[in-house]
Amino acid sequence: MQSLGIDIGGTSIKAGLVGPEGLEGEIRQVSTPSDPDDIVSATVALAEELPRRERVGVAVAAFVDPARERIELSPNIAWEQRPLRLELEERLKVPVVLENDANAAGFAEYALGAGREESSMVMLTLGTGVGGAVVLQGEVLTGARGVAGELGHIVVQPGGVLCGCGQRGCVETVSSGTALLRAASTQLGTRLDSAEELERALRDAPELRHTLVNQVARGITAALLHIQAVVDPSIAVIGGGVSERLGEELFQAIQHGTTDALEGRRSAAFPQIVPAHLGNAAGIIGAGLLAERLEQSLKH
């Protein structure tokens, strides 16, 4: 059986067919409109391009309510208190599962990717913002109010930069693509608006690249120290576009930062840190797998 997985992000909406072993076929995508109604229409139009839509899983870059019925708010998309699941069910005429995008990506990595052999896992996705997921014994942790696992909103710099969530100094303000664009623009004295512009600028500024890599690593290391104290996962998966662009250099910086942070602690307990395996398809795959899981639970 196949499900349709859809990933609604701040930059693009992506969709693909998902089977038991992951993505089946090509990913279709369109740019994310700025208007909330247009986002819904674009999502429906994209879904209707793909066949065999027995059920649909939707991953969205937003805080989702505990019942997984509506979007409560999104730091990077202009909508809130929107009953997205019901809207899409009415327009697509099939069952829809709604989940936070990082939770969906985390579930995909747990089921089919870097965390496949693990009993517990956390994931940080470094993109426009920083998403997070906690998966324990095969279950995505959502919490009493639906916002557990929002690891990108752990405060790592008290009193720091204002985050879209309303707090200051979240890891999202330090280790996201948006944070890198802001820091690079300040250092270079020129406004950078896209990941491509940033990448071009850093090719000619190796010292700045090194500084930014260390900035990202510090945010991740600080967040993981908090996470380890609460969850103690066996593995921490790092994914997203920022992670892919910075590559091995980032993981080396995280390792150095972790070693320094653990020095002097009586316990050296800390998760193994590994790169994600599923790339930008993780949200699609996770959404599809969660839709399939719901279908199976309803049958039983």
Side-chain angles (χ1 to χ4, degrees), residues 109-281:
E109 289 288 347
Y110 178 89
L112 299 175
R116 194 166 191 164
E117 304 298 325
E118 305 296 332
S119 61
S120 60
M121 186 200 90
V122 297
M123 182 173 179
L124 286 162
T125 56
L126 315 180
T128 304
V130 174
V134 179
V135 187
L136 303 175
Q137 304 296 333
E139 297 294 330
V140 178
L141 186 66
T142 56
R145 297 167 187 82
V147 295
E150 286 290 347
L151 307 181
H153 298 287
I154 293 172
V155 174
V156 295
Q157 287 187 343
V161 174
L162 181 65
C163 182
C165 74
Q167 299 183 126
R168 287 188 176 273
C170 293
V171 66
E172 181 163 302
T173 70
V174 177
S175 302
S176 67
T178 302
L180 292 186
L181 284 170
R182 180 174 57 247
S185 296
T186 298
Q187 290 293 319
L188 295 171
T190 183
R191 181 182 174 87
L192 302 176
D193 293 313
S194 70
E196 291 74 23
E197 289 178 351
L198 177 61
E199 197 163 1
R200 285 195 297 270
L202 294 186
R203 287 196 202 108
D204 301 322
E207 290 186 4
L208 177 57
R209 177 184 173 89
H210 180 71
T211 298
L212 295 184
V213 168
N214 284 333
Q215 173 183 311
V216 174
R218 282 195 302 272
I220 294 170
T221 301
L224 287 176
L225 286 167
H226 293 299
I227 294 164
Q228 191 276 326
V230 177
V231 180
D232 189 24
S234 57
I235 192 169
V237 178
I238 311 298
V242 171
S243 172
E244 291 173 5
R245 282 187 167 89
L246 299 183
E248 183 59 28
E249 188 178 354
L250 173 61
F251 285 88
Q252 289 176 358
I254 295 171
Q255 190 59 57
H256 290 316
T258 300
T259 300
D260 291 343
L262 293 176
E263 186 175 354
R265 286 183 58 179
R266 296 183 66 184
S267 170
F270 207 72
Q272 179 187 6
I273 302 168
V274 299
H277 288 179
L278 301 178
N280 66 2

Side-chain angles (χ1 to χ4, degrees), residues 17 19 21-22 26 28 48 60-61 83 86 96 98 109 118 123 128 142 149 157 168 225 247 251 286 292:
L17 294 174
E21 292 303 314
E26 295 182 354
R28 306 271 185 97
E48 289 176 340
V60 62
L86 293 177
V96 172
L98 183 65
E109 289 288 347
E118 305 296 332
M123 182 173 179
T128 304
T142 56
Q157 287 187 343
R168 287 188 176 273
L225 286 167
F251 285 88
E292 174 66 19

Side-chain angles (χ1 to χ4, degrees), residues 28-52:
R28 306 271 185 97
Q29 74 176 55
V30 296
S31 297
T32 304
S34 57
D35 180 78
D37 291 336
D38 291 342
I39 293 173
V40 175
S41 296
T43 301
V44 171
L46 191 61
E48 289 176 340
E49 292 180 9
L50 290 158
R52 292 173 288 179

